[in-house]
Amino acid sequence: MRNIRTFAAIDVGSYELAMKVFEFNGKGNMRQIDCLKHKIDLGTDTYAAGKISYERVDELCQVLREFVRIMKSYKVENYRAYGTSAIRETENTAIILDQIEQRTGIRIEVLSNSEQRFLHYKSIASRGENFNRIIEKGTAIVDIGGGSIQVSLFDKDSLVATQNMKLGVLRLREQLHHLNVKPVKEEELISEIVNAQLSVFKKLYLKDRQIQNIIVVDDYLSAWVKKKSVEGEDSFSVADVAAYEALMKMLRTKSKAQMASVLGMPDEKAQLLFISAVLMKCAIKVMQAEMIWAPGVTLCDGIAYDYAQKNRMITSCHDFEQDIIACARNISKRYMGSKRRGDTLEAITLIIYDSMRKIHGLSKRERLLLRIAAFLHDCGKYISMVDLAECSYQIIMATEIIGLSHKEREIIANVVKFNHSEFVYYHELQSKSIDRQAYLVMAKLTAILRVANGLDRSHKEKFTDIRAAVKDNTLTITVDTQEDITLEKGLFDNRAAFFEEVFSVRPVIKQKRSF
C-alpha cells in the first residue's frame, strides 16, 4: 500500500486567490495534482481605501467554500492558508479573518513580508541543483507582488542582502489611476517612481557587486520568459537581455488588448504585465544583468515545500538557516559590527544554550534567534554608544531579516535591548506582538546572552576553550586561560543574578590554566 499524503496550499493574494493540491509519496517527492485560481482584486481596496469591502469579503468566502468542497473530494489531510499584503495592510484585519473562518471554516494566517518572501525563495530553491548553480554567480531575485517588490542579492551562493520596496504592480497601478496618467506617459512615470528607489538600493547594496542573473518571480513576466526561453533548462526558463528589449518594444507599440492576445492572457492582466515589465526593465538597467531566469513558481509551491520540509516528508538540498544567518551577519557588517566579536559571542551563547537544553525547553528555532541576537548585540553603537540599548532595538525593528516573522524579530530586538538595559517584566512591556509565550522565550534568551556577554566583557577574547555543564542547580562555566579575568568575574555577578531568576540555576566561572 502506497504511503501517499495529500496537502492543499491556499494563497489569498492581492489580485488572485489560488489553491494547489499536492501529493507526497513518502519517498521525498512532491507532485502537484490540481491548481485552481480565481481573480479577486483585494489589493486595490486595501491600497486605495485601507479596508477590504464587504462585497470582496463575500466573494472571497464563496470561493473558499468551493475550495473546501474540492479539498474534501481529494481527501486532503492538511492545508495551510496564508494572506499577504492585501490582508496584512487592511485596517480591519482581525475582523476580516474572523468573518472568513466563521463562514468557511478556513483559518487564514497572515504572513509578514519577510515570511512571504522566504516562502517564495523556498519555492525557487525547491527547483534543486539549477538554483544552486545559478547563484554561484552574482544573482538577484526580484520578487514582484501586488503591494511591493523584494530584491534579494546572492554572491558566491551566499545571501548578502534583501530589501523590500513599495513598488508592487497593484500599488503602482493605483498611483497611475490617482494621477490620471495618459497611456503614452505610463512607462516614463513608472520608471521615474521605480528608479528613485532603485538608485538608493544601488548605493546601499550594489556598489562594485556584479549581478549577472536576475531570477524573476511574478504572475506575468514568468509566463513570457517560459515562452521565449533560449535554452532548455530543467526547472528554469531563461531569456537574455536582447529578447527582453524586444518584449519592451512590442509592449510600447501595441494596445493592451493586442498585448493580451499576443501573450495569451486575459485583457485585465495586460496593464499589470506592462507595469511588471517596466519595473523589471529598470532593475535590469540598474544591475546591468545579462540573463533573466524564471522558475515558474508561486507562493503555493513555497507553502507546500515548507510544510513538507518541516514535517520531514522531503529533504532540502539547500540550507535555508544559513541564509538567515548570512543576512544577519551582513546587517551587522552594515552597522560596523565586529565579526570576531560576533563570532566569539555566538560561540559562547551556543555552548551555554546547548548545556541548558533540558532546563530551558527551547527548540532549534529559538537557538537560531539567539545566534542572530549575538551577531546584532551592539549594532546600536553605529548611532549612539550612550543610548546603545534603544538604538539597537530600533535598528533591528526597522531592518527586515528574511525568513523571520515580525514577532521573532521583536523577540531578537528585545533580547539585544535588555542585554544592555534593565529587564522589563511582562505587565510593563508595551507590545502587541509579544504574548506570554514569546515573553518567556525573550527572558530566557536575554539571560543567556547576558551571561555570554559578561564572559567577554573586555572584548579581548581571553578564553581559548570554554565548556559548560549543569549539576545540582549550578551551571559551571569552565574557561581555559592564563590571563587575568578579574574584570569578567567582577561584572559577572549582576548578570548571573538574572540568569538564576529565570532558570533557578546559578552560573559560576571556573578558571582552568593550561600550561
Side-chain angles (χ1 to χ4, degrees):
M1 183 176 178
R2 294 189 303 164
N3 182 28
I4 294 178
R5 299 172 67 179
T6 52
F7 173 80
I10 300 173
D11 171 18
V12 184
S14 300
Y15 187 74
E16 196 170 65
L17 181 60
M19 180 176 78
K20 287 187 177 183
V21 182
F22 297 87
E23 279 186 350
F24 304 107
N25 65 2
K27 297 180 180 179
N29 296 320
M30 182 175 87
R31 184 173 74 92
Q32 179 185 313
I33 57 176
D34 203 353
C35 175
L36 302 101
K37 295 182 178 181
H38 176 82
K39 176 188 171 295
I40 178 167
D41 193 354
L42 302 177
T44 297
D45 278 2
T46 296
Y47 309 138
K51 292 183 180 180
I52 298 174
S53 67
Y54 171 80
E55 291 77 16
R56 290 278 192 269
V57 174
D58 197 49
E59 181 184 356
L60 177 59
C61 289
Q62 288 181 34
V63 179
L64 286 174
R65 283 195 290 267
E66 181 64 16
F67 282 2
V68 171
R69 187 190 66 77
I70 292 167
M71 283 194 282
K72 288 179 179 176
S73 72
Y74 280 112
K75 295 181 171 59
V76 167
E77 298 171 44
N78 214 332
Y79 77 92
R80 292 289 183 272
Y82 291 126
T84 55
S85 62
I87 299 286
R88 185 170 63 240
E89 295 184 27
T90 57
E91 295 175 3
N92 56 344
T93 300
I95 294 172
I96 295 293
L97 295 180
D98 181 68
Q99 279 191 35
I100 292 169
E101 186 168 4
Q102 295 303 321
R103 293 170 65 180
T104 70
I106 295 288
R107 183 175 182 271
I108 297 174
E109 297 176 58
V110 180
L111 294 172
S112 68
N113 179 70
S114 57
E115 290 175 303
Q116 176 188 342
R117 306 304 178 165
F118 199 55
L119 287 177
H120 269 148
Y121 171 42
K122 280 194 170 186
S123 69
I124 300 167
S126 72
R127 292 304 190 241
E129 289 303 317
N130 273 338
F131 171 73
N132 292 327
R133 178 172 55 81
I134 292 168
I135 64 173
E136 285 176 359
K137 298 178 181 179
T139 301
I141 296 177
V142 179
D143 183 355
I144 303 173
S148 64
I149 68 168
Q150 188 83 16
V151 182
S152 302
L153 299 180
F154 290 82
D155 192 8
K156 297 177 182 176
D157 74 12
S158 177
L159 180 66
V160 294
T162 185
Q163 182 64 52
N164 183 255
M165 289 168 269
K166 298 262 176 149
L167 296 172
V169 289
L170 290 180
R171 201 182 296 273
L172 288 171
R173 186 184 70 176
E174 186 58 31
Q175 285 183 275
L176 295 176
H177 177 73
H178 178 71
L179 296 170
N180 197 24
V181 178
K182 295 179 181 180
V184 294
K185 288 288 187 179
E186 284 183 355
E187 181 179 351
E188 180 183 344
L189 191 66
I190 294 168
S191 297
E192 190 174 342
I193 295 169
V194 172
N195 284 330
Q197 294 199 36
L198 286 182
S199 63
V200 177
F201 178 85
K202 181 178 181 179
K203 289 177 183 176
L204 288 174
Y205 301 108
L206 291 177
K207 297 181 181 177
D208 298 326
R209 187 169 282 120
Q210 298 295 313
I211 302 297
Q212 184 173 331
N213 304 307
I214 291 180
I215 299 175
V216 59
V217 180
D218 82 330
D219 294 325
Y220 316 105
L221 287 174
S222 295
W224 169 80
V225 176
K226 187 173 183 179
K227 289 178 68 174
K228 292 293 181 181
S229 186
V230 296
E231 57 183 87
E233 288 285 339
D234 296 335
S235 305
F236 278 81
S237 301
V238 59
D240 58 21
V241 173
Y244 196 84
E245 288 173 352
L247 169 68
M248 286 305 305
K249 184 176 181 181
M250 186 270 287
L251 294 178
R252 292 183 186 111
T253 55
K254 293 187 181 296
S255 68
K256 299 293 190 292
Q258 289 173 323
M259 287 192 304
S261 176
V262 171
L263 297 170
M265 64 173 54
D267 287 359
E268 64 268 17
K269 282 192 173 184
Q271 187 184 28
L272 297 179
L273 166 71
F274 181 76
I275 294 171
S276 195
V278 175
L279 204 160
M280 181 59 69
K281 177 205 74 173
C282 297
I284 291 169
K285 185 175 181 180
V286 165
M287 298 178 192
Q288 298 183 321
E290 299 171 11
M291 306 296 290
I292 303 99
W293 301 77
V297 294
T298 66
L299 182 63
C300 288
D301 297 295
I303 294 170
Y305 186 83
D306 182 66
Y307 173 81
Q309 186 188 25
K310 287 178 178 176
N311 288 275
R312 299 181 180 179
M313 297 177 187
I314 57 175
T315 303
S316 173
C317 61
H318 188 81
D319 190 341
F320 296 103
E321 186 172 293
Q322 284 305 310
D323 289 317
I324 299 174
I325 291 296
C327 190
R329 284 184 181 277
N330 279 285
I331 293 168
S332 174
K333 183 179 179 181
R334 189 191 317 165
Y335 292 103
M336 309 296 287
S338 166
K339 184 179 183 302
R340 285 184 62 186
R341 167 70 173 153
D343 290 345
T344 299
L345 195 56
E346 179 205 17
I348 298 172
T349 57
L350 294 186
I351 289 167
I352 297 171
Y353 186 94
D354 292 341
S355 70
M356 295 279 293
R357 191 175 289 122
K358 293 181 180 179
I359 296 171
H360 59 54
L362 301 176
S363 70
K364 184 180 177 183
R365 185 68 176 182
E366 282 79 43
R367 191 177 189 270
L368 173 64
L369 301 186
L370 180 61
R371 294 179 70 187
I372 296 171
F375 294 135
L376 301 178
H377 75 283
D378 63 351
C379 60
K381 287 181 180 178
Y382 184 81
I383 297 173
S384 170
M385 294 184 69
V386 175
D387 200 10
L388 172 59
E390 184 60 31
C391 289
S392 295
Y393 175 88
Q394 294 297 339
I395 284 174
I396 294 168
M397 289 306 297
T399 307
E400 192 167 64
I401 304 174
I402 193 166
L404 299 186
S405 67
H406 178 87
K407 181 189 290 187
E408 288 174 324
R409 192 163 83 245
E410 189 164 357
I411 288 172
I412 293 167
N414 277 301
V415 169
V416 172
K417 177 180 179 177
F418 296 129
N419 177 50
H420 302 292
S421 65
E422 284 296 316
F423 192 77
V424 173
Y425 293 99
Y426 186 68
H427 66 279
E428 301 172 299
L429 192 68
Q430 297 179 345
S431 171
K432 295 179 180 179
S433 302
I434 303 296
D435 54 22
R436 287 187 177 273
Q437 185 176 354
Y439 169 79
L440 291 174
V441 170
M442 190 180 83
K444 292 174 182 180
L445 298 187
T446 300
I448 293 171
L449 184 61
R450 280 185 174 188
V451 168
N453 198 30
L455 286 171
D456 191 33
R457 197 68 188 89
S458 66
H459 296 195
K460 291 184 177 180
E461 301 165 28
K462 296 178 179 179
F463 313 129
T464 57
D465 182 42
I466 300 175
R467 285 170 291 164
V470 179
K471 185 178 180 181
D472 299 331
N473 295 330
T474 300
L475 171 67
T476 303
I477 304 171
T478 306
V479 297
D480 190 341
T481 182
Q482 295 187 51
E483 294 195 42
D484 181 5
I485 61 170
T486 302
L487 175 64
E488 283 73 15
K489 284 185 174 181
L491 297 174
F492 193 74
D493 285 346
N494 185 46
R495 293 171 176 271
F498 182 70
F499 190 96
E500 187 173 18
E501 178 184 346
V502 172
F503 296 114
S504 294
V505 172
R506 182 72 179 177
V508 296
I509 301 176
K510 180 181 178 182
Q511 185 174 7
K512 176 184 175 184
R513 298 179 184 271
S514 296
F515 294 96

Coordinates of all heavy atoms in Angstrom, one line a residue, residues 43-44 47-48 144-149 165-181 186-198 271-280 282:
G43 N -6.3 43.8 -3.4 CA -5.3 44.8 -3.3 C -5.7 46.2 -3.5 O -5.4 47.2 -2.8
T44 N -6.5 46.4 -4.6 CA -7.0 47.8 -4.9 C -7.8 48.4 -3.7 O -7.6 49.6 -3.4 CB -7.8 47.8 -6.2 OG1 -7.0 47.3 -7.3 CG2 -8.4 49.2 -6.5
Y47 N -5.1 49.1 -0.8 CA -4.1 50.2 -1.1 C -4.8 51.5 -1.3 O -4.2 52.6 -1.1 CB -3.2 49.8 -2.3 CG -2.6 48.5 -2.2 CD1 -2.6 47.6 -3.3 CD2 -2.1 48.0 -1.0 CE1 -2.0 46.4 -3.2 CE2 -1.6 46.7 -0.9 CZ -1.5 45.9 -2.0 OH -1.0 44.7 -1.9
A48 N -6.1 51.5 -1.8 CA -6.8 52.8 -2.0 C -7.6 53.3 -0.8 O -7.5 54.5 -0.5 CB -7.7 52.6 -3.2
I144 N 8.2 40.1 -7.5 CA 7.2 41.2 -7.8 C 5.8 40.8 -7.3 O 5.2 39.9 -7.8 CB 7.2 41.6 -9.3 CG1 8.6 41.9 -9.8 CG2 6.2 42.7 -9.5 CD1 8.7 42.1 -11.3
G145 N 5.3 41.5 -6.3 CA 4.0 41.3 -5.8 C 3.0 42.4 -6.1 O 3.4 43.3 -6.8
G146 N 1.8 42.3 -5.6 CA 0.9 43.4 -5.8 C 1.2 44.6 -5.0 O 1.0 45.7 -5.5
G147 N 1.6 44.5 -3.8 CA 1.9 45.7 -3.0 C 3.3 46.1 -3.0 O 3.6 47.3 -2.7
S148 N 4.3 45.2 -3.2 CA 5.7 45.6 -3.1 C 6.5 44.6 -3.9 O 6.0 43.6 -4.4 CB 6.1 45.6 -1.6 OG 6.0 44.3 -1.1
I149 N 7.8 44.9 -4.0 CA 8.8 44.0 -4.6 C 9.8 43.7 -3.5 O 10.1 44.6 -2.6 CB 9.4 44.5 -5.9 CG1 10.4 45.7 -5.6 CG2 8.4 44.9 -6.9 CD1 11.2 46.1 -6.8
M165 N 10.6 47.0 -1.2 CA 10.3 48.3 -1.7 C 8.8 48.4 -2.1 O 8.3 47.4 -2.7 CB 11.2 48.7 -2.9 CG 12.6 49.0 -2.5 SD 13.7 49.1 -3.9 CE 14.2 47.4 -4.1
K166 N 8.1 49.4 -1.8 CA 6.6 49.5 -2.0 C 6.4 49.9 -3.5 O 6.0 51.0 -3.8 CB 6.0 50.6 -1.1 CG 6.1 50.2 0.4 CD 4.9 49.6 0.9 CE 5.1 49.2 2.3 NZ 3.9 49.2 3.1
L167 N 6.8 48.9 -4.4 CA 6.7 49.1 -5.8 C 5.9 48.0 -6.5 O 6.1 47.6 -7.6 CB 8.1 49.2 -6.4 CG 9.0 50.3 -6.0 CD1 10.4 50.2 -6.5 CD2 8.4 51.7 -6.4
G168 N 4.9 47.4 -5.8 CA 4.1 46.4 -6.3 C 3.2 46.8 -7.5 O 2.9 48.0 -7.6
V169 N 2.8 45.9 -8.4 CA 2.1 46.3 -9.6 C 0.7 46.9 -9.3 O 0.3 47.8 -10.0 CB 2.0 45.0 -10.5 CG1 3.3 44.7 -11.1 CG2 1.4 43.8 -9.8
L170 N 0.0 46.4 -8.3 CA -1.3 47.0 -8.0 C -1.1 48.3 -7.4 O -1.9 49.3 -7.6 CB -2.1 46.1 -7.0 CG -2.6 44.7 -7.6 CD1 -3.3 44.0 -6.5 CD2 -3.5 45.0 -8.8
R171 N -0.1 48.5 -6.5 CA 0.1 49.8 -5.9 C 0.5 50.8 -7.0 O 0.1 52.0 -6.9 CB 1.2 49.7 -4.8 CG 1.2 50.8 -3.8 CD 2.3 50.7 -2.8 NE 2.3 49.5 -2.0 CZ 1.6 49.4 -0.9 NH1 0.9 50.4 -0.4 NH2 1.6 48.3 -0.2
L172 N 1.4 50.4 -7.9 CA 1.8 51.3 -9.0 C 0.6 51.7 -9.9 O 0.4 52.8 -10.3 CB 2.9 50.7 -9.8 CG 4.3 50.7 -9.1 CD1 5.3 49.9 -9.9 CD2 4.8 52.1 -8.9
R173 N -0.3 50.7 -10.2 CA -1.5 50.9 -11.0 C -2.4 51.9 -10.3 O -3.0 52.8 -11.0 CB -2.2 49.6 -11.2 CG -3.4 49.8 -12.2 CD -4.2 48.5 -12.4 NE -4.9 48.2 -11.2 CZ -5.8 47.1 -11.1 NH1 -5.9 46.3 -12.2 NH2 -6.4 46.8 -10.0
E174 N -2.5 51.8 -9.0 CA -3.4 52.7 -8.2 C -2.8 54.1 -8.3 O -3.5 55.1 -8.4 CB -3.5 52.3 -6.8 CG -4.4 53.1 -5.9 CD -5.8 53.1 -6.5 OE1 -6.3 52.1 -7.1 OE2 -6.5 54.1 -6.3
Q175 N -1.5 54.3 -8.3 CA -0.8 55.6 -8.4 C -1.1 56.2 -9.8 O -1.4 57.4 -9.9 CB 0.7 55.5 -8.1 CG 1.0 55.3 -6.7 CD 2.5 55.3 -6.5 OE1 3.2 54.2 -6.6 NE2 3.1 56.4 -6.1
L176 N -1.0 55.4 -10.8 CA -1.2 55.8 -12.2 C -2.7 56.3 -12.3 O -3.0 57.4 -12.9 CB -1.0 54.7 -13.2 CG 0.5 54.3 -13.3 CD1 0.5 53.1 -14.3 CD2 1.4 55.4 -13.8
H177 N -3.6 55.6 -11.7 CA -5.0 55.9 -11.8 C -5.3 57.2 -11.0 O -6.0 58.1 -11.5 CB -5.9 54.8 -11.2 CG -7.3 55.1 -11.1 ND1 -8.1 55.2 -12.2 CD2 -8.1 55.4 -10.0 CE1 -9.4 55.5 -11.9 NE2 -9.4 55.7 -10.6
H178 N -4.6 57.4 -9.8 CA -4.8 58.5 -9.0 C -4.3 59.8 -9.7 O -4.9 60.9 -9.6 CB -4.1 58.3 -7.7 CG -4.2 59.5 -6.7 ND1 -5.3 59.9 -6.1 CD2 -3.2 60.5 -6.4 CE1 -5.1 61.0 -5.4 NE2 -3.9 61.3 -5.5
L179 N -3.2 59.7 -10.4 CA -2.6 60.8 -11.1 C -3.2 61.0 -12.5 O -2.8 62.0 -13.2 CB -1.1 60.6 -11.3 CG -0.3 60.5 -10.0 CD1 1.1 60.0 -10.2 CD2 -0.3 61.9 -9.3
N180 N -4.1 60.1 -12.9 CA -4.8 60.2 -14.2 C -3.8 60.3 -15.4 O -3.9 61.2 -16.2 CB -5.7 61.5 -14.2 CG -6.7 61.5 -15.3 OD1 -7.1 60.4 -15.8 ND2 -7.2 62.6 -15.8
V181 N -2.9 59.4 -15.4 CA -1.8 59.4 -16.4 C -2.3 58.8 -17.7 O -2.9 57.8 -17.8 CB -0.6 58.5 -15.8 CG1 0.5 58.5 -16.9 CG2 -0.1 59.1 -14.5
E186 N 2.7 56.4 -19.3 CA 2.8 55.4 -18.2 C 4.2 54.9 -18.0 O 4.7 54.9 -16.9 CB 1.9 54.2 -18.5 CG 0.4 54.5 -18.3 CD -0.5 53.3 -18.5 OE1 0.1 52.3 -18.9 OE2 -1.7 53.4 -18.2
E187 N 4.9 54.5 -19.1 CA 6.3 54.0 -18.9 C 7.2 55.0 -18.3 O 8.0 54.7 -17.3 CB 6.9 53.5 -20.2 CG 8.3 52.9 -20.1 CD 8.9 52.4 -21.4 OE1 8.1 52.4 -22.4 OE2 10.0 52.1 -21.4
E188 N 7.1 56.2 -18.7 CA 8.0 57.3 -18.2 C 7.8 57.5 -16.7 O 8.7 57.6 -15.9 CB 7.8 58.6 -18.9 CG 8.6 59.8 -18.5 CD 8.3 61.1 -19.2 OE1 7.6 61.0 -20.3 OE2 8.7 62.1 -18.7
L189 N 6.5 57.5 -16.3 CA 6.2 57.8 -14.9 C 6.5 56.6 -14.0 O 7.1 56.8 -12.9 CB 4.7 58.1 -14.7 CG 4.3 58.7 -13.4 CD1 5.0 60.0 -13.1 CD2 2.8 58.8 -13.2
I190 N 6.2 55.4 -14.5 CA 6.6 54.2 -13.7 C 8.1 54.2 -13.5 O 8.6 53.9 -12.4 CB 6.1 52.9 -14.4 CG1 4.6 52.9 -14.4 CG2 6.7 51.7 -13.7 CD1 4.0 51.8 -15.4
S191 N 8.8 54.4 -14.6 CA 10.3 54.4 -14.5 C 10.8 55.4 -13.5 O 11.8 55.2 -12.7 CB 10.9 54.7 -15.9 OG 10.6 53.7 -16.8
E192 N 10.2 56.6 -13.5 CA 10.6 57.6 -12.6 C 10.4 57.2 -11.1 O 11.3 57.4 -10.3 CB 9.8 58.9 -12.9 CG 10.4 60.2 -12.1 CD 9.7 61.4 -12.6 OE1 9.0 61.4 -13.7 OE2 9.8 62.4 -11.8
I193 N 9.3 56.6 -10.8 CA 8.9 56.2 -9.5 C 9.9 55.1 -9.0 O 10.4 55.1 -7.9 CB 7.5 55.7 -9.4 CG1 6.5 56.9 -9.6 CG2 7.2 55.0 -8.0 CD1 5.1 56.4 -9.8
V194 N 10.1 54.1 -9.9 CA 10.9 52.9 -9.6 C 12.4 53.3 -9.5 O 13.0 52.8 -8.5 CB 10.7 51.8 -10.7 CG1 11.7 50.7 -10.5 CG2 9.3 51.3 -10.7
N195 N 12.9 54.0 -10.4 CA 14.3 54.4 -10.4 C 14.7 55.2 -9.1 O 15.8 55.1 -8.7 CB 14.7 55.1 -11.7 CG 14.8 54.2 -12.9 OD1 15.1 53.1 -12.7 ND2 14.5 54.7 -14.0
A196 N 13.7 56.0 -8.6 CA 14.0 56.8 -7.4 C 14.4 55.9 -6.3 O 15.3 56.2 -5.5 CB 12.8 57.6 -7.1
Q197 N 13.7 54.7 -6.2 CA 14.0 53.8 -5.1 C 15.2 52.8 -5.4 O 16.0 52.5 -4.6 CB 12.8 53.0 -4.7 CG 11.7 53.8 -4.1 CD 10.7 53.0 -3.3 OE1 11.0 52.0 -2.7 NE2 9.4 53.4 -3.4
L198 N 15.3 52.4 -6.7 CA 16.4 51.5 -7.1 C 17.7 52.2 -7.0 O 18.7 51.6 -6.7 CB 16.1 51.0 -8.5 CG 15.0 49.9 -8.6 CD1 15.0 49.5 -10.1 CD2 15.3 48.7 -7.7
Q271 N -2.4 45.4 -18.4 CA -1.7 46.5 -17.8 C -0.8 46.1 -16.7 O 0.3 46.7 -16.5 CB -2.8 47.5 -17.3 CG -2.1 48.8 -16.8 CD -3.0 49.8 -16.1 OE1 -4.1 49.4 -15.6 NE2 -2.7 51.1 -16.2
L272 N -1.1 45.1 -15.9 CA -0.3 44.6 -14.9 C 1.0 44.0 -15.4 O 2.1 44.2 -14.9 CB -1.0 43.6 -14.0 CG -2.2 44.2 -13.2 CD1 -2.9 43.1 -12.4 CD2 -1.9 45.4 -12.4
L273 N 0.9 43.3 -16.6 CA 2.1 42.8 -17.3 C 3.0 44.0 -17.7 O 4.2 44.0 -17.5 CB 1.7 42.0 -18.5 CG 2.9 41.7 -19.5 CD1 3.8 40.7 -18.9 CD2 2.4 41.3 -20.8
F274 N 2.4 45.1 -18.2 CA 3.2 46.2 -18.7 C 3.9 46.9 -17.5 O 5.1 47.2 -17.6 CB 2.2 47.2 -19.3 CG 2.9 48.4 -19.9 CD1 3.7 48.4 -21.0 CD2 2.9 49.6 -19.2 CE1 4.4 49.5 -21.5 CE2 3.6 50.8 -19.6 CZ 4.3 50.7 -20.8
I275 N 3.2 47.0 -16.4 CA 3.8 47.6 -15.2 C 5.0 46.8 -14.7 O 6.1 47.2 -14.4 CB 2.8 47.8 -14.1 CG1 1.8 48.9 -14.5 CG2 3.5 48.3 -12.8 CD1 0.6 49.0 -13.5
S276 N 4.7 45.4 -14.7 CA 5.8 44.5 -14.2 C 7.0 44.5 -15.2 O 8.1 44.5 -14.7 CB 5.2 43.1 -14.2 OG 6.0 42.2 -13.5
A277 N 6.7 44.7 -16.5 CA 7.8 44.7 -17.5 C 8.6 45.9 -17.3 O 9.9 45.9 -17.4 CB 7.2 44.6 -18.9
V278 N 8.0 47.1 -17.1 CA 8.7 48.3 -16.9 C 9.6 48.3 -15.7 O 10.7 48.7 -15.6 CB 7.8 49.5 -16.9 CG1 8.6 50.8 -16.6 CG2 7.0 49.7 -18.2
L279 N 9.0 47.7 -14.6 CA 9.7 47.6 -13.4 C 11.0 46.7 -13.5 O 12.1 47.1 -13.1 CB 8.8 46.9 -12.3 CG 9.0 47.1 -10.9 CD1 7.7 46.9 -10.1 CD2 10.1 46.3 -10.4
M280 N 10.8 45.6 -14.3 CA 11.9 44.7 -14.5 C 13.0 45.4 -15.4 O 14.2 45.2 -15.2 CB 11.5 43.4 -15.1 CG 12.6 42.4 -15.4 SD 13.5 41.9 -13.9 CE 12.3 41.0 -13.1
C282 N 13.8 48.5 -15.4 CA 14.6 49.3 -14.6 C 15.6 48.5 -13.7 O 16.7 49.0 -13.6 CB 13.6 50.1 -13.6 SG 12.5 51.3 -14.5

